[in-house]
């Protein structure tokens, strides 16, 4: 009766699976306190077996994880917000690792850059995606970013649909 109504079905399903399989249970659900407020709890239980392997009882713990759960939800909301900003930016945005490999490209980059799709680009050297003339300058810009400074470059490269385009690159450390 104390479990939040939204959490009853998944919790019961999980418990039934653990009871049938004999595998430990590990669930999170909200419990109503005597004040009427709900808090998140993590319930973990494992079976105790007799010498024949039969389950004779279950032992478990109930841990208050409310603050952690709220922090995780806030972090997820923040990540979704940041992701929506990056994805919907009118600018081409790429995130590179210290070796200059592409780790992220926003939708605008995929639409405008001369690349097929991000899956074919992720993990590749960023400078290799551009014509040779720009590639060398981009490598130098990456070296500047590794030293904690921002650099700016302008170079010519057609877009994916072969439209002529001049690109202004701002390479910044994060």
């Amino acid at each position: 009766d104390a479990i939040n109504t939204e959490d009853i079905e998944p919790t019961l399903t999980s418990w039934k699976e653990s009871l049938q399989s004999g595998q430990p249970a590990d669930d999170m659900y909200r419990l109503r306190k005597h004040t009427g407020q709900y808090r998140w709890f993590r319930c973990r239980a494992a079976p105790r077996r007799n010498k024949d392997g039969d389950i004779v009882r279950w032992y478990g713990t109930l841990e208050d994880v409310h603050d952690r759960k709220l922090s995780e939800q806030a972090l997820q909301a923040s990540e979704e917000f940041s992701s929506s900003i990056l994805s919907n930016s009118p600018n081409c945005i790429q995130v590179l690792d210290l070796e200059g490999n592409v780790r992220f490209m926003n939708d605008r980059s995929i639409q405008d850059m001369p690349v097929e799709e991000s899956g074919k680009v992720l993990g590749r050297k960023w400078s290799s995606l551009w014509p040779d003339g720009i590639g060398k300058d981009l490598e130098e810009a990456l070296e500047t970013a590794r030293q904690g400074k921002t650099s700016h470059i302008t170079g010519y490269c057609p877009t994916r649909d072969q439209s002529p385009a001049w690109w202004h690159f701002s390479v910044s450390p994060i």
Side-chain angles (χ1 to χ4, degrees):
D1 291 340
I3 293 179
N4 185 296
T5 55
E6 295 175 17
D7 301 331
I8 291 174
E9 186 178 328
T11 301
L12 290 177
T13 299
S14 176
W15 267 102
K16 286 177 186 175
E17 290 173 6
S18 290
L19 291 171
Q20 290 173 352
S21 69
Q23 294 298 310
D26 190 346
D27 297 296
M28 279 208 261
Y29 48 78
R30 290 162 287 184
L31 289 176
R32 186 178 57 247
K33 294 175 52 177
H34 70 281
T35 61
Q37 294 177 320
Y38 283 93
R39 287 188 69 82
W40 282 98
F41 285 85
R42 180 179 187 184
C43 175
R44 294 200 262 178
R48 173 78 182 241
R49 299 178 185 272
N50 63 20
K51 62 182 176 179
D52 297 325
D54 299 324
I55 297 173
V56 293
R57 66 178 49 98
W58 285 80
Y59 289 99
T61 60
L62 193 60
E63 175 186 9
D64 185 331
V65 293
H66 190 75
D67 294 337
R68 183 179 81 202
K69 183 73 171 177
L70 294 182
S71 294
E72 289 171 356
Q73 289 173 339
L75 177 60
Q76 181 180 358
S78 175
E79 288 174 351
E80 288 171 0
F81 178 70
S82 298
S83 178
S84 70
I85 291 171
L86 290 173
S87 293
N88 293 301
S89 173
N91 298 314
C92 294
I93 300 172
Q94 298 92 45
V95 176
L96 315 173
D97 61 20
L98 289 174
E99 288 76 42
N101 300 312
V102 178
R103 295 294 169 215
F104 169 84
M105 291 178 67
N106 70 344
D107 294 341
R108 184 61 184 255
S109 293
I110 297 165
Q111 292 169 6
D112 289 354
M113 286 179 58
V115 298
E116 294 294 321
E117 58 186 69
S118 67
K120 294 181 180 179
V121 173
L122 297 181
R124 288 184 48 198
K125 284 270 187 216
W126 182 55
S127 59
S128 73
L129 303 174
W130 301 93
D132 291 337
I134 300 174
K136 182 177 180 270
D137 292 338
L138 294 176
E139 284 295 331
E140 291 174 9
L142 286 172
E143 184 55 38
T144 300
R146 285 185 196 103
Q147 296 170 13
K149 300 174 187 166
T150 298
S151 57
H152 302 276
I153 303 164
T154 301
Y156 177 82
C157 179
T159 63
R160 185 162 85 175
D161 67 1
Q162 297 304 308
S163 299
W166 283 92
W167 296 77
H168 179 77
F169 301 92
S170 178
V171 183
S172 302
I174 53 172

